[in-house]
Amino acid sequence: MDDLQFGTRNKRGDWAPKEALETAPILIFPPRPLKFLKWLPGYFLPWNVMFMAIAVVYWFWLTPSIETMKTLSIGWIVYLLARNMATVLLFYGALELRLYVLRRQGTSFKFNGKWPSDNRSNVFMFKSQNIDNIIRTFATGLPIWTGYEVLGLWCYANGWGPWTTFAQHPIWLAAFGLVLPIYHEVHFYCIHRLIHVPILYKWVHSVHHNSVNPSPWSSLSMHPVEHLLYWSDSLIHLIVPSHPLLLLYNLQITGTGAVVGHVGFDKIVAGEESAIETHAFAHYLHHKYFEVNYGDGTVPIDRWFGTWHDGTKEGDVLMDARFQRKQAKVNAKPPGK
């Protein structure tokens, strides 16, 4: 598959799609039903269907019994941690192996023409982006993910919270499940803007942004404080009527799903004429420019607040103008304030 049929490559070897990024055709006026119907399959496939499938397997076959989870014990907690670690190792590891180790499709559809492993830096442990990212993922990311999961399942087992069943409230739970990816993005946008506040960025979020050229293992490479904020979206299941299957689905969207924005490629080539869309360009632009695309464009919050970058030269102009206005405000402040 020729990536230049879909985009352009600059002198540095960086690839970008020809078409400008668009936010999803939801929450827009006037409504555009035909465009919405055309967009809808991509909302489900392939990623959200995959994350729901993992959640189903987790709930029916890889989660301890309710009786077991009524009591906090090291055995089932460690089991959940090991299960989550195995999922991330297999999922992230497969993408890293195919795209970055074996380099099966070279730089075809790769946003940044350089390879992280070719550029050692003192900002990373052992000067290696991959080693640093893997350590942070497994040392704090997965334990905190599992901690939220343990909290939710323990509360469910003990009847604490407004838990319900699909038999009792099928329409509500189905609707809640359908909008969980949208809810996740709204939550992500809010905490993402928060950790870009200068003091939090310096001491917390900068850890994640060390990976300017992200790869799969960059996905959950964060400061522990950011991990705590990131997975706090799962607390909604203790507030509104929900089911443990949806809790697990939410955790998959947030955890395993973090790789979608960090894979570093626009498409994963699956054959001469076929490829899997990653929808990663919006978040790649955030890693490149830092102050744009705090969300991924499913909900047009960035467009509402003027921080959307569509990947075009016009987007660069708007970003530069916004930066100049920001600098002017900073420079206009009296000394000492």
Side-chain angles (χ1 to χ4, degrees), residues 43-44 52 171-181 246 249 253:
Y43 176 71
F44 295 107
M52 175 55 84
I171 296 176
W172 162 254
L173 291 179
F176 187 31
L178 288 173
V179 301
L180 268 176
L246 297 184
Y249 176 42
I253 294 168

Side-chain angles (χ1 to χ4, degrees), residues 28 36 40 42 51 80 118 128 131 133 150 159 186 205 216 218 240 254 256 261 270 274 293-294 308 313 318 330:
I28 58 174
F36 172 78
L40 195 57
F51 301 142
L80 293 187
D118 295 341
S128 168
I131 293 175
N133 291 174
V150 168
V186 172
H205 194 45
S218 306
V240 304
T254 310
T256 309
S274 60
N293 298 1
Y294 293 95
W308 179 246
K313 292 182 179 179
L318 292 172
V330 172

Side-chain angles (χ1 to χ4, degrees), residues 22-249:
E22 294 186 3
T23 53
I26 61 175
L27 301 177
I28 58 174
F29 186 84
R32 302 181 64 181
L34 292 179
K35 191 170 185 179
F36 172 78
L37 291 174
K38 184 178 179 180
W39 164 83
L40 195 57
Y43 176 71
F44 295 107
L45 296 168
W47 303 111
N48 287 330
V49 168
M50 185 184 303
F51 301 142
M52 175 55 84
I54 296 173
V56 167
V57 171
Y58 268 28
W59 176 241
F60 287 103
W61 292 286
L62 297 178
T63 296
S65 68
I66 295 175
E67 193 61 34
T68 299
M69 295 188 296
K70 283 183 177 181
T71 304
L72 292 174
S73 64
I74 193 69
W76 69 271
I77 293 173
V78 170
Y79 167 76
L80 293 187
L81 176 62
R83 178 247 270 159
N84 293 336
M85 285 183 169
T87 299
V88 167
L89 182 62
L90 288 171
F91 200 77
Y92 288 25
L95 289 170
E96 184 78 30
L97 178 65
R98 188 182 193 281
L99 297 172
Y100 287 85
V101 179
L102 301 178
R103 302 182 185 180
R104 286 287 172 80
Q105 65 184 68
T107 57
S108 182
F109 297 105
K110 190 174 187 300
F111 302 127
N112 189 316
K114 296 180 180 179
W115 299 96
S117 59
D118 295 341
N119 295 277
R120 300 178 69 78
S121 172
N122 288 325
V123 303
F124 299 115
M125 287 183 272
F126 306 104
K127 298 184 178 182
S128 168
Q129 178 173 311
N130 258 3
I131 293 175
D132 181 277
N133 291 174
I134 291 169
I135 289 173
R136 293 183 186 281
T137 296
F138 284 91
T140 59
L142 280 151
I144 289 172
W145 167 357
T146 305
Y148 277 109
E149 184 177 358
V150 168
L151 173 63
L153 292 176
W154 178 69
C155 288
Y156 168 74
N158 286 282
W160 295 347
W163 301 99
T164 187
T165 67
F166 284 91
Q168 292 174 312
H169 295 98
I171 296 176
W172 162 254
L173 291 179
F176 187 31
L178 288 173
V179 301
L180 268 176
I182 295 173
Y183 157 72
H184 162 72
E185 183 164 331
V186 172
H187 175 274
F188 175 66
Y189 178 90
C190 293
I191 65 109
H192 202 179
R193 289 305 300 261
L194 173 65
I195 56 182
H196 269 265
V197 171
I199 190 170
L200 289 176
Y201 183 87
K202 179 180 179 180
W203 297 106
V204 176
H205 194 45
S206 61
V207 170
H208 184 65
H209 271 286
N210 286 337
S211 300
V212 177
N213 181 12
S215 71
W217 286 118
S218 306
S219 309
L220 296 178
S221 176
M222 305 173 189
H223 189 282
V225 171
E226 183 170 354
H227 283 137
L228 285 167
L229 291 170
Y230 184 61
W231 270 290
S232 66
D233 63 347
S234 64
L235 296 177
I236 195 172
H237 301 274
L238 302 179
I239 300 171
V240 304
S242 186
H243 185 278
L245 175 60
L246 297 184
L247 166 67
L248 296 175
Y249 176 42

